[in-house]
Amino acid sequence: MIEQSLDTALNSVINVVSGGVITLLITMYRAKKKENDALKAGVQALLRDRIIQAYNHYVQDKGWIPIYAKESIDACYKSYEALGDNGVIDNLMQQLNELQNYPPKNRGDEDA
């Protein structure tokens, strides 16, 4: 009778401890997922901002893009794309990729 009572008590303790460990692991997983989601959103926002800055500078202001800048922006885009949610950035990258990689000739230079 005492052995059966000890077995029941031991089973109860094991169940409580197991339940506590599982609850702790689930809580830790949820906290880590929330943190990772926030980091992902932050990195996406920074990459999006960098691509938009490059678009404004090279497409709208200069009309051309040096090779080193294009390679850098392409690397940003690949990372951004891997994180999902591309939207407008796809169109901006297409316009950046269509730019020549040298300054355009001035119209006055053609006559000389």
Side-chain angles (χ1 to χ4, degrees), residues 17-80:
V17 170
S18 297
V21 168
I22 290 171
T23 301
L24 176 65
L25 290 174
I26 290 171
T27 302
M28 289 171 59
Y29 170 79
R30 287 181 180 161
K32 196 52 103 170
K33 181 167 179 3
K34 185 177 180 180
E35 180 182 347
N36 285 342
D37 289 347
L39 287 170
K40 176 185 170 186
V43 169
Q44 275 182 314
L46 291 171
L47 291 168
R48 182 184 311 112
D49 181 63
R50 178 65 192 108
I51 293 168
I52 291 169
Q53 283 180 18
Y55 172 84
N56 289 337
H57 180 69
Y58 293 111
V59 174
Q60 293 183 343
D61 296 341
K62 292 184 90 172
W64 69 283
I65 185 169
I67 292 172
Y68 69 87
K70 185 177 179 317
E71 289 174 350
S72 175
I73 297 305
D74 282 343
C76 287
Y77 178 67
K78 285 178 185 174
S79 296
Y80 181 80

Side-chain angles (χ1 to χ4, degrees), residues 72-98:
S72 175
I73 297 305
D74 282 343
C76 287
Y77 178 67
K78 285 178 185 174
S79 296
Y80 181 80
E81 192 176 37
L83 293 171
D85 289 341
N86 298 334
V88 156
I89 299 300
D90 288 334
N91 184 37
L92 300 185
M93 283 303 299
Q94 181 180 357
Q95 292 179 53
L96 279 163
N97 287 326
E98 291 171 359

